[in-house]
Amino acid sequence: MYTLLSGLYKYMFQKDEYCILILGLDNAGKTTFLEQTKTKFSKNYKGMNLSKITTTVGLNIGTIDVGKARLMFWDLGGQEELQSLWDKYYAESHGVIYVIDSTDEERLSQSKDAFGEKVTLSEALEGVPLLVLANKQDVPSCLSVPDIKTAFSDSAPKIGRRDCLVQPCTALTGDGVNEGIEWMVKCVVRNIHRPPRQKDIT
């Protein structure tokens, strides 16, 4: 009887919570992506003016509900001195969204190094799904998804068998946001290696 009641309680009053890290270099569009996500998936969220978003120092937090899953986002600052803090959040995370500025060809190798050394090589992130967003695809001179896949090809062996998707995105207009979030939800829910946290619905 207790098992039945506790199952009913969980079904009615609890959600499975998954923590998703949003990483990438500064000015890649991480906070804009988070704002668009909150606007699209939270009915009453008004959102901030996207043109007034400044560089993140520290972290921004956001939460959305998608079906029975609750995603809690940690949007971490991408400046070089702040990248050393990324791994403090790895053990608790269920997924990583890595944002690349497709218009910043000069810093593409820097972004690739941060992804390769700080994300794919980390044992604490082993088995965690990776969504790589090629952001700012609305700019005509931007790098395409195939360009970025080629530039990041060194990381392919380190990614291993975990779920990984490279997807075009324009955080400013919201293009690619829904598809990316829905893919991530599907991946974290089926990842038996990182069970969700149970949170009461509020």
Side-chain angles (χ1 to χ4, degrees):
M1 186 69 178
Y2 170 76
T3 311
L4 179 65
L5 287 173
S6 67
L8 185 64
Y9 176 84
K10 181 184 169 186
Y11 178 77
M12 300 205 45
F13 301 110
Q14 288 192 324
K15 277 190 179 286
D16 291 339
E17 184 177 84
Y18 301 90
C19 300
I20 311 295
L21 295 180
I22 304 177
L23 306 176
L25 300 189
D26 52 305
N27 298 316
K30 301 184 296 299
T31 304
T32 305
F33 174 80
L34 176 58
E35 281 300 304
Q36 281 284 16
T37 300
K38 289 193 286 187
T39 303
K40 284 176 174 290
F41 288 90
S42 304
K43 280 180 190 169
N44 300 319
Y45 185 72
K46 295 288 182 276
M48 63 168 77
N49 186 331
L50 298 182
S51 63
K52 293 189 175 169
I53 289 175
T54 56
T55 302
T56 299
V57 179
L59 88 153
N60 297 307
I61 294 175
T63 306
I64 63 165
D65 291 339
V66 185
K68 292 199 175 82
R70 173 165 289 175
L71 300 190
M72 176 182 243
F73 296 98
W74 294 330
D75 161 29
L76 304 179
Q79 299 94 318
E80 206 163 340
E81 62 274 17
L82 295 176
Q83 290 174 21
S84 60
L85 301 174
W86 288 0
D87 62 1
K88 307 285 185 289
Y89 299 87
Y90 287 177
E92 290 183 68
S93 68
H94 295 86
V96 172
I97 297 173
Y98 192 85
V99 185
I100 299 167
D101 181 347
S102 305
T103 67
D104 191 358
E105 202 165 347
E106 279 183 25
R107 293 203 302 165
L108 190 64
S109 63
Q110 197 181 326
S111 182
K112 181 188 79 168
D113 291 346
F115 180 73
E117 293 163 20
K118 295 188 169 67
V119 179
T120 59
L121 281 180
S122 171
E123 286 183 17
L125 288 176
E126 201 170 332
V128 165
L130 301 172
L131 173 62
V132 179
L133 292 179
N135 192 25
K136 307 186 186 179
Q137 288 290 306
D138 57 322
V139 179
S141 60
C142 74
L143 294 160
S144 67
V145 166
D147 292 335
I148 287 167
K149 280 185 175 177
T150 301
F152 278 63
S153 59
D154 293 355
S155 298
K158 303 168 200 163
I159 289 168
R161 297 178 63 185
R162 77 181 101 187
D163 288 316
C164 182
L165 175 69
V166 183
Q167 183 188 297
C169 172
T170 304
L172 210 52
T173 62
D175 287 353
V177 171
N178 285 40
E179 295 88 339
I181 294 300
E182 284 159 12
W183 180 87
M184 181 58 78
V185 169
K186 190 173 64 179
C187 292
V188 295
V189 167
R190 73 181 179 207
N191 187 4
I192 56 170
H193 304 295
R194 294 266 170 137
R197 307 192 302 194
Q198 297 300 320
K199 286 287 175 184
D200 287 347
I201 297 171
T202 52

